Amino acid sequence: MGQIEKSKNKIKVVAPPQGYQGEGFFATKLSEVIGLARANSVWPLPFATSCCGIEFMATMASNYDLARFGMERLSFSPRQSDLLMVMGTISKKMAPVLRQVYEQMAEPKWVLAMGACASSGGIFDSYSVLQGIDKVIPVDVYVPGCPPRPEQLIEGVMKIHELVKTESLRRRYTKEYQKLLESYNIS
Amino acid sequence: MDNLQKNITENKAVDNFDNKLSTLNLGPTHPATHGIFQNVLKMDGERIHSSEQTLGYIHRAFEKIAERRPYNQIRPLTDRLNYCSSPINNIGWDMTVEKLIGIEIPKRVDYLRVIIMELARIADHLICNSVIAVDTGALTGFTYVFQERERIYEIFEEICGARLTTNIGRIGGFERDFNETANKKLKLFLKEFPKRFKDFETLLCRNRIFMDRIINVGPISAERALNYGFTGPNLRAAGIDYDVRAMNPYSSYQDFEFKIPVGENGDTFDRFMVRQEEIKQSLSIINQAMDMMPEGPYHADVPEFYLPPKTDVYTKMEALIYHFKIIMGETKVPEGEVYFSVEGANGELGYYLISDGGRSPYRLHFRRPCFIYYQAFSEMIKGALLSDAIVTMSSMNVIAGELDA
Amino acid sequence: METEFLLNSINDKFEAIVKTHTISHGILTIETESTQIKDLIKWLKKSPSLNFNFLTDICAVQYPDQGEREFAVVYHLHNLNENFRLRIKIFVGRKNMNIPSITDVFSGANWMERETYDFFGIIFEGHPDLRRILNLDDLDYFPMRKEYKLEDGTRTDKDDRFFGRKGNEKVTFDNKKALARDNG
């Protein structure tokens, strides 16, 4: 019995958003509920090209277990995914493919660039490597490292969760967002 | 109207229904290709009629970059070749430069290197074999062995500070000796791993479903394998006992007793079993190296090439001078050309280095084993089912970083 | 296998085809005519006494100052039975970059030759499908040649002054000196 109690205390349940509570009801903003639901069931699309992909595998595997954060279900179909995780070097040959995958994803969508190569080209300042994926698609969170440790990746994912949670439902319709996409020639 | 729509309305490119063959595009991003490369398959129903590979999706121009970098800074590049077993690449590079310069390496360094290389080989084979299982639908084994891989990572971390892209060692030896914790973790690994590995083995090796999925899948004959330049476990699975460790022993491999497992049919099952057996042999090599570990320095006494420890650089005049000279390329590296190869986790990893005496190589070419043997893939999957092709691909252990360099 | 025996058998079969030979760091290196490279390798493979049954590697090297000998194509062969390695070099100039392909001797040469073409523009005659392999299909130069620079200049977070980049630096290499040194 004691043990069950103990393990119960260990489980952290997501805190409810701010709201008004009375007997038998709880009132809050719709956007916050949606944000909460979205943040805890992000479906990532692992776009793993090289070394960072192996660290991502380690993050998904037993020791670090990304499933704890509701990210167990890897979605290899861009249509069904919310988070594009770009892990590894993106060469110029790959850039159009990456862009196509991004364009295929449905809104709302977020992008995480893992590792130095995806963020800036890293040590590969060469003719064949795209110097950072933000040259072709907008990025929300950059995770530094070559490759980042799983802890670092999890931290990056947490940042994405924060974004997802607090983002206004209308942000994707704002002028700023349209402008950003326009600057990347994405319609 | 986009192109596809236009084609359909104008009735181009949709005559696949009449044509018996259909085209299936596998990659460049596809959950079944573990790495980034494209296979365009011509399918007759579920059977593969012919296929073509496109690569270069993560071509990073290693060889060109290497022509600009001093010798010590090429080691981080080699990390990113076969990133599942970076230490082998690192140490192979160091030994290439040592061969060019002609440095005598202390016995202890050789043994430490052997331990690290064999750990890396285990880590690499574990990924490959567990991924074969994943591709046949058995995810459990994968979660088992990844815990063991974490242990190996921890040992690497204790020795060099990094998990995956290790940049382990220096020209002439190691940056530092194995510390107490590393030794402890290594001993723990040697004690615990066989049990966990046994679990993995019992899950798969005599598993009826698994055997049915991989026996006689993607076979290649010994003669064809040789013709295609196969090396490593893939060649040995076809029945040829070529192992660089045994044929051209480097780093004192001649001191250890180990068997070279060979297969018969060169199919996926043989490749799987050869890797399983090699893991056991690697374990035995590590045990022998631990037992026979000689005393001595952990690096050769070559101050012109061995990067001095950072603490000395800050406090000692001589170390500072050597540090400066090595980093700025003031030390004289002999001219000449050298080919050196090590047994990488997936084959003979060769370095062809031409030096003109300058700060960086005049030309450096990597013989990347999977670039060479992956071209046989077309032939191996001809007439096979699509699902078999997937398993064959994962059993060949093709690493995109090495494939494209 | 004895070096002498090997050289004599080659020179017996092909009339004095071996121009020079050196042993550099344990590997016998011979230089031959580019036109006969295919016949030579085919014979080396088939000959029962030599039996070079394994093609380790093909790559090219550029020496910009050598005119007619600007590009070296280097073949590494391996006799697995006797563990004897052989390196064969042929030289071509910019005017005539054609050499015979050895894809029908070793299937594994296919991609290696494509890679060499991709990087240096060496044309392998008789290759079934000589296209670029690693680089973009529409790349209009051969990137490994010394005259082309490594970076494409789109990097924004680096200051050129700190990385010693001043554009194309001319690289020279004195091959004769190196050969003389190798010969001892």
Side-chain angles (χ1 to χ4, degrees):
Chain A
M1 186 65 200
Q3 260 195 347
I4 295 174
E5 282 295 313
K6 229 179 179 177
S7 63
K8 246 187 194 169
N9 291 338
K10 264 191 190 166
I11 298 170
K12 252 176 91 184
V13 180
V14 183
Q18 271 197 334
Y20 187 72
Q21 200 168 8
E23 210 171 87
F25 77 93
F26 177 75
T28 183
K29 280 188 285 183
L30 180 64
S31 62
E32 298 213 344
V33 177
I34 292 180
L36 190 72
R38 274 179 181 168
N40 290 293
S41 66
V42 173
W43 284 14
L45 189 159
F47 199 91
T49 57
S50 50
C51 341
C52 287
I54 305 293
E55 277 302 64
F56 173 73
M57 276 162 85
T59 318
M60 285 303 296
S62 13
N63 274 34
Y64 291 95
D65 196 12
L66 208 52
R68 291 178 289 162
F69 309 108
M71 295 181 69
E72 194 164 9
R73 204 280 189 180
L74 297 183
S75 168
F76 286 99
S77 154
R79 290 292 194 203
Q80 300 171 347
S81 56
D82 314 304
L83 170 63
L84 178 62
M85 299 177 80
V86 183
M87 298 167 285
T89 321
I90 301 296
S91 72
K92 286 180 181 158
K93 205 171 183 177
M94 198 65 190
V97 182
L98 174 68
R99 202 184 144 95
Q100 196 183 359
V101 167
Y102 179 77
E103 281 174 356
Q104 282 175 355
M105 285 170 65
E107 291 279 5
K109 52 189 173 186
W110 292 270
V111 178
L112 180 144
M114 175 183 181
C117 290
S119 306
S120 73
I123 60 171
F124 301 108
D125 184 7
S126 63
Y127 62 89
S128 62
V129 174
L130 190 69
Q131 302 300 311
I133 58 165
D134 48 11
K135 292 255 192 299
V136 290
I137 56 170
V139 179
D140 292 286
V141 171
Y142 299 88
V143 182
C146 189
R149 294 181 55 95
E151 289 91 337
Q152 271 172 289
L153 178 61
I154 290 175
E155 160 110 44
V157 168
M158 294 294 105
K159 289 265 186 278
I160 287 277
H161 282 187
E162 237 160 72
L163 272 180
V164 176
K165 222 181 265 178
T166 52
E167 190 177 293
S168 144
L169 292 183
R170 299 210 154 267
R171 186 173 90 96
R172 307 264 151 178
Y173 302 101
T174 55
K175 277 217 176 100
E176 289 84 0
Y177 189 70
Q178 305 287 355
K179 223 174 177 177
L180 176 74
L181 286 190
E182 246 164 56
S183 72
Y184 282 100
N185 254 332
I186 299 171
S187 53
Chain B
M1 201 161 27
D2 63 13
N3 267 342
L4 181 69
Q5 239 173 338
K6 207 170 147 199
N7 279 340
I8 289 172
T9 42
E10 287 172 16
N11 222 347
K12 278 186 210 163
V14 281
D15 53 355
N16 269 340
F17 294 108
D18 304 328
N19 197 338
K20 227 174 120 201
L21 299 180
S22 52
T23 308
L24 183 72
N25 189 8
L26 212 65
T29 65
H30 189 277
T33 62
H34 306 278
I36 300 293
F37 34 88
Q38 185 187 29
N39 289 291
V40 183
L41 310 171
K42 287 256 185 271
M43 305 286 297
D44 179 0
E46 190 73 353
R47 298 241 165 229
I48 293 161
H49 184 267
S50 62
S51 66
E52 205 196 317
Q53 285 76 36
T54 319
L55 24 154
Y57 286 102
I58 62 162
H59 173 51
R60 294 177 277 194
F62 279 19
E63 292 174 10
K64 186 96 178 168
I65 296 176
E67 287 176 10
R68 286 288 191 81
R69 293 196 165 202
Y71 289 87
N72 264 308
Q73 288 182 19
I74 290 170
R75 200 177 310 101
L77 286 181
T78 63
D79 272 336
R80 285 145 186 89
L81 277 171
N82 180 349
Y83 34 73
C84 293
S85 53
S86 326
I88 300 183
N89 313 346
N90 298 155
I91 293 173
W93 167 246
D94 286 343
M95 285 192 282
T96 311
V97 181
E98 283 157 13
K99 189 173 172 185
L100 175 75
I101 303 172
I103 299 178
E104 188 86 19
I105 297 297
K107 207 71 173 167
R108 184 177 170 84
V109 175
D110 277 355
Y111 279 46
L112 295 176
R113 279 180 171 173
V114 164
I115 291 178
I116 290 170
M117 285 195 280
E118 292 309 315
L119 280 175
R121 194 181 317 281
I122 291 175
D124 191 284
H125 285 359
L126 282 182
I127 278 207
C128 181
N129 273 1
S130 61
V131 162
I132 297 174
V134 169
D135 282 347
T136 57
L139 191 69
T140 320
F142 173 82
T143 51
Y144 273 40
V145 296
F146 251 75
Q147 279 172 291
E148 294 308 310
R149 271 184 60 92
E150 286 294 331
R151 283 182 208 265
I152 297 179
Y153 278 163
E154 280 177 21
I155 296 168
F156 288 163
E157 206 171 11
E158 209 55 60
I159 297 163
C160 71
R163 287 157 53 88
L164 184 72
T165 45
T166 46
N167 193 20
I168 218 163
R170 294 283 179 268
I171 292 165
F174 281 96
E175 182 212 356
R176 64 188 109 157
D177 208 340
F178 285 19
N179 60 20
E180 194 92 328
T181 333
N183 276 324
K184 223 160 57 193
K185 283 188 169 164
L186 189 54
K187 276 185 192 127
L188 187 72
F189 172 79
L190 289 173
K191 206 176 121 210
E192 297 286 326
F193 177 73
K195 290 183 218 158
R196 202 65 67 86
F197 186 61
K198 186 100 181 94
D199 285 348
F200 179 70
E201 210 173 40
T202 38
L203 266 178
L204 293 170
C205 285
R206 302 292 298 168
N207 182 328
R208 192 71 245 169
I209 304 170
F210 187 63
M211 283 163 79
D212 282 351
R213 279 296 306 275
I214 62 174
I215 288 179
N216 275 332
V217 166
I220 188 159
S221 68
E223 188 214 349
R224 291 303 293 158
L226 261 190
N227 206 332
Y228 268 118
F230 271 49
T231 40
N234 292 344
L235 180 68
R236 292 192 282 275
I240 294 172
D241 60 342
Y242 172 50
D243 189 322
V244 187
R245 288 177 292 174
M247 200 174 260
N248 297 309
Y250 52 89
S251 194
S252 296
Y253 265 109
Q254 67 277 9
D255 295 2
F256 306 106
E257 255 180 54
F258 60 99
K259 293 193 187 96
I260 300 170
V262 285
E264 270 177 11
N265 310 315
D267 60 358
T268 302
F269 183 69
D270 281 3
R271 284 191 282 273
F272 177 84
M273 290 311 275
V274 164
R275 288 206 181 87
Q276 289 290 97
E277 191 54 41
E278 274 187 20
I279 290 175
K280 289 180 201 161
Q281 295 300 328
S282 295
L283 267 182
S284 131
I285 294 175
I286 297 173
N287 276 321
Q288 291 173 45
M290 294 280 278
D291 291 344
M292 306 192 295
M293 179 67 70
E295 290 296 317
Y298 58 90
H299 64 86
D301 186 23
V302 276
E304 302 91 6
F305 301 103
Y306 175 79
L307 271 175
K310 263 279 145 55
T311 44
D312 287 0
V313 175
Y314 291 137
T315 51
K316 286 181 189 139
M317 188 64 185
E318 202 177 42
L320 179 65
I321 292 170
Y322 278 126
H323 179 88
F324 184 80
K325 280 179 93 171
I326 293 168
I327 297 294
M328 300 308 287
E330 302 276 313
T331 48
K332 185 92 178 106
V333 176
E335 293 173 14
E337 56 185 316
V338 51
Y339 176 84
F340 184 78
S341 60
V342 292
E343 179 71 23
N346 50 2
E348 175 180 345
L349 176 70
Y351 302 82
Y352 177 45
L353 165 67
I354 299 180
S355 154
D356 60 349
R359 172 173 177 261
S360 43
Y362 184 77
R363 171 92 167 94
L364 175 62
H365 179 74
F366 299 107
R367 183 208 190 267
R368 299 149 1 239
C370 66
F371 174 75
I372 291 164
Y373 65 61
Y374 184 51
Q375 46 189 320
F377 185 58
S378 262
E379 190 177 306
M380 287 161 79
I381 61 165
K382 204 175 166 85
L385 293 171
L386 176 61
S387 50
D388 292 347
I390 305 282
V391 184
T392 308
M393 191 198 300
S394 50
S395 76
M396 283 173 85
N397 200 2
V398 180
I399 312 278
E402 189 177 87
L403 190 72
D404 292 345
Chain C
M1 192 185 304
E2 295 289 317
T3 307
E4 283 294 301
F5 169 71
L6 172 66
L7 289 174
N8 286 341
S9 356
I10 296 176
N11 276 336
D12 282 352
K13 175 81 185 169
F14 300 88
E15 262 173 52
I17 190 178
V18 179
K19 286 179 184 166
T20 57
H21 77 272
T22 53
I23 295 179
S24 68
H25 292 278
I27 296 184
L28 175 67
T29 308
I30 60 175
E31 191 196 319
T32 66
E33 282 302 334
S34 61
T35 45
Q36 279 183 290
I37 184 74
K38 186 179 166 185
D39 300 330
L40 175 67
I41 289 180
K42 199 172 183 172
W43 177 75
L44 283 173
K45 185 188 176 193
K46 293 276 149 62
S47 159
S49 56
L50 301 177
N51 197 14
F52 281 94
N53 49 6
F54 191 79
L55 174 70
T56 305
D57 200 19
I58 300 175
C59 71
V61 191
Q62 188 196 10
Y63 302 102
D65 295 342
Q66 291 188 12
E68 274 309 287
R69 291 162 54 84
E70 183 171 348
F71 295 95
V73 181
V74 186
Y75 298 78
H76 283 91
L77 296 177
H78 196 172
N79 175 340
L80 288 180
N81 300 350
E82 295 182 44
N83 189 21
F84 190 90
R85 286 186 196 271
L86 174 66
R87 180 186 294 142
I88 305 176
K89 278 189 181 180
I90 52 177
F91 285 88
V92 288
R94 220 166 253 250
K95 280 183 197 138
N96 181 19
M97 304 264 288
N98 297 15
I99 58 171
S101 159
I102 58 161
T103 37
D104 37 354
V105 186
F106 287 105
S107 312
N110 190 328
W111 285 10
M112 301 184 208
E113 286 180 353
R114 273 178 73 184
E115 191 193 22
T116 312
Y117 164 73
D118 191 354
F119 281 156
F120 290 94
I122 311 255
I123 294 162
F124 292 89
E125 276 173 352
H127 189 285
D129 182 24
L130 194 65
R131 287 179 293 129
R132 286 189 182 274
I133 185 163
L134 295 178
N135 288 303
L136 287 163
D137 290 327
D138 54 0
L139 199 69
D140 53 358
Y141 64 101
F142 299 105
M144 274 297 282
R145 290 190 185 173
K146 299 272 182 194
E147 68 251 39
Y148 300 109
K149 58 180 199 170
L150 167 68
E151 302 90 354
D152 70 344
T154 53
R155 187 79 171 228
T156 46
D157 62 337
K158 274 186 179 176
D159 189 327
D160 274 1
R161 286 169 304 162
F162 301 139
F163 290 87
R165 290 191 292 196
K166 284 177 241 140
N168 300 341
E169 284 157 45
K170 212 167 176 217
V171 192
T172 54
F173 182 72
D174 193 346
N175 193 43
K176 271 184 205 141
K177 223 167 86 190
L179 275 177
R181 199 201 56 80
D182 278 344
N183 285 330

